[in-house]
Amino acid sequence: VTIGHEFKDSTITRVYGKLAVGIKNPREQFEVAGNMRMGNRLFANGDSAPVEGNYQKGDIVWNSNPAPTQPLGWICVQDGVPGIWAVFGRIEAV
């Protein structure tokens, strides 16, 4: 699906209601089935930092199995295959 015009980036496109990519019945205003890229940064889900694949500094993997004392996710701090990853955010029980 192409929305707008390839050579005219000032085209205004409005969507009223919910918008989804790869989802039949979205529950939220915007939903994506799977990973997404925004601002040239990858946002993915996983249960650990990646050990294979090519990643760029700033890519994020959100913890798909959150639990107290575990990280909220991992952020790539150096480009590479698989890059260098660091934990961000520790989950604390309330």
Side-chain angles (χ1 to χ4, degrees):
V1 174
T2 300
I3 299 173
H5 189 278
E6 182 178 5
F7 302 108
K8 186 177 178 187
D9 64 358
S10 62
T11 301
I12 296 172
T13 305
R14 292 182 176 89
V15 175
Y16 297 95
K18 297 176 180 177
L19 178 65
V21 177
I23 296 174
K24 285 186 178 182
N25 299 304
R27 295 180 301 174
E28 305 300 331
Q29 284 300 108
F30 180 67
E31 287 191 50
V32 177
N35 299 342
M36 65 179 268
R37 190 165 290 280
M38 182 173 64
N40 201 31
R41 299 291 177 244
L42 174 71
F43 292 85
N45 294 304
D47 57 8
S48 65
V51 294
E52 58 184 31
N54 191 7
Y55 295 91
Q56 297 175 344
K57 184 176 182 177
D59 289 348
I60 290 177
V61 174
W62 296 95
N63 191 343
S64 60
N65 189 23
T69 74
Q70 297 302 305
L72 183 58
W74 302 268
I75 185 165
C76 184
V77 295
Q78 183 177 319
D79 296 355
V81 180
I84 296 176
W85 292 83
V87 166
F88 73 89
R90 286 278 177 202
I91 301 169
E92 295 183 23
V94 179

